[in-house]
């Protein structure tokens, strides 16, 4: 694209900034409630809402309250919820069998939401860490994270989630080849319309800290996830991973974390044009909330500016813990 700029005073950029009306007409990108996916943490019990210290404003919810959250999302116009289970430590094993139990917490929550609020799309997490006594996203043998054995487990987990009524499967594990295996298993089982949003470019990031508290994985995890999640120094590798996952049958692709990786989002959208999403992860949320609670920044404005940045970079949507707060601000006309 050729950008033509006449010298001042022939051009004065401030003309189009002079009033709200002109600024609105000249606005290049928009943020809407339709762009939001709301990640929620599910726990056992009834009527339970348990705050997560490192994520002020986010609670673990029992299934009945997750259904209430889905109703709230629907009334705000948020199209999708993404479920993350906080699994009872007693159910965590080294074979991770709870991950594909049709009646595990996540699958019960999917059914309850689809019963009560069928119009809400339910996204899941496909990875073994909430069920793994060793805290990793894959099966571990002698300290090695096993790729192909993990894929077999992820396929079983995916089928159980599809059976429970999930609309979007979100493999966040970073094993090689899982998208193709999931896609063919879904086709074979008749789940032709279940979509896959691949966490295709997921970095080994320190921004996930509060999430690991939220799902109770912090204590279990030994070492780090660098043998399967990406090196934050790389970008061409992200493009190759996205291409690989699209080729294997991903409907949507994600870059994660978000704000520190806007350059990757931009390149992904520009290169492939596929439906592209960012995950504004727990550490990003925690930083904004902490500063806002101290009165150091205007929380609502920083939240909306950060979400607009994802849209400007090329995102079709954003997973964000701010989803209900952002939806309310958008509906109140703050953007
Ligand atoms: C794990 C998973 C993680 C997140 C989503 N799925 C953490 C990790 O990879 O350790 C992070 C989300 C966040 O930080 O908000 N499968």
């Amino acid at each position: 694209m050729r950008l033509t700029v006449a010298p001042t005073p022939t051009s004065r950029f401030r003309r189009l900034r002079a009033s709200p009306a002109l600024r609105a007409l000249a606005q290049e990108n928009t943020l809407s409630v339709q762009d939001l996916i709301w990640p929620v943490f599910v726990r056992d019990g009834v009527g339970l809402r348990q705050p997560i210290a490192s994520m002020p404003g986010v609670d673990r919810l029992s299934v009945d309250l997750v259904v209430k959250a889905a109703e709230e999302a629907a009334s705000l116009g948020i199209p999708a919820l993404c479920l993350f289970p906080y699994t009872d430590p007693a159910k965590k094993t080294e074979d991770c069998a709870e991950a594909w139990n049709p009646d595990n917490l996540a699958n019960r929550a999917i059914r309850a939401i689809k019963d009560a609020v069928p119009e809400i799309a339910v996204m899941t997490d496909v990875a073994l860490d909430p069920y793994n006594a060793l805290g990793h996203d894959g099966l571990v043998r002698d300290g090695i994270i096993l790729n192909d054995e993990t894929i077999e487990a992820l396929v079983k987990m995916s089928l159980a989630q599809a059976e429970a009524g999930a609309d979007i499967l979100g493999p966040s594990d970073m094993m090689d080849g899982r998208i193709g295996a999931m896609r063919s298993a879904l086709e074979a089982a008749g789940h032709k319309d279940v979509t896959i949003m691949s966490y295709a470019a997921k970095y080994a990031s320190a921004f996930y800290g509060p999430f690991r508290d939220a799902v109770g994985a912090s204590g279990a995890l030994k070492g780090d996830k660098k043998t399967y999640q990406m090196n934050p120094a790389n970008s061409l590798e992200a493009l190759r991973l996205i291409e690989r996952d699209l080729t294997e049958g991903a409907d949507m692709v994600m870059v994660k974390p978000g704000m520190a990786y806007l350059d990757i989002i931009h390149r992904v959208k520009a290169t492939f044009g596929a439906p592209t999403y960012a995950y504004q992860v727990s550490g990003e949320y925690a930083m904004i909330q902490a500063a806002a609670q101290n009165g150091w920044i205007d929380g609502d404005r920083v939240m909306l500016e950060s979400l607009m940045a994802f849209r400007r970079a090329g995102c079709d949507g954003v997973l964000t813990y701010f989803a209900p707060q952002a939806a309310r601000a958008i509906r109140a006309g703050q953007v």
Side-chain angles (χ1 to χ4, degrees), residues 143-214:
I144 305 287
I145 319 305
L146 304 172
N147 195 85
D148 301 7
E149 293 83 344
T150 297
I151 290 182
E152 286 174 31
L154 297 175
V155 164
K156 286 189 267 182
M157 184 176 184
S158 300
L159 290 174
Q161 293 174 349
E163 208 54 54
D167 300 282
I168 308 170
L169 305 186
S172 67
D173 57 290
M174 290 293 280
M175 298 299 123
D176 285 314
R178 86 277 205 220
I179 303 296
M182 286 167 57
R183 177 55 73 208
S184 41
L186 289 168
E187 284 288 322
H191 296 297
K192 295 194 265 297
D193 292 330
V194 172
T195 63
I196 300 176
M197 182 188 294
S198 174
Y199 287 60
K202 175 171 176 181
Y203 288 85
S205 171
F207 284 102
Y208 308 148
F211 173 96
R212 292 182 192 166
D213 295 341

Side-chain angles (χ1 to χ4, degrees), residues 70 74 79 111-122 165 167:
R111 284 198 193 85
I113 294 173
K114 293 310 283 189
D115 273 353
V117 205
E119 68 271 27
I120 283 278
V122 177
D167 300 282

Side-chain angles (χ1 to χ4, degrees), residues 127 129 137 172 202 208 211-212 225 229 256 281-282 321:
D129 51 322
D137 292 23
S172 67
K202 175 171 176 181
Y208 308 148
F211 173 96
R212 292 182 192 166
K225 301 192 177 184
Q229 299 181 348
K256 176 185 177 191
V281 299
S282 55
Y321 302 99

Side-chain angles (χ1 to χ4, degrees), residues 20 23-25 27-36 299-311 323-335:
R23 287 197 293 276
L25 285 172
Q27 180 164 325
E28 296 176 33
N29 295 287
T30 56
L31 176 67
S32 122
V33 290
Q34 291 190 59
D35 306 323
L36 304 172
D300 262 9
R301 288 184 52 208
V302 169
M303 164 187 77
L304 292 170
E305 187 176 327
S306 69
L307 295 173
M308 186 66 87
F310 290 117
R311 296 281 293 147
Q325 190 181 331
R328 274 186 221 100
I330 293 166
R331 290 168 72 103
Q334 282 177 248
V335 275

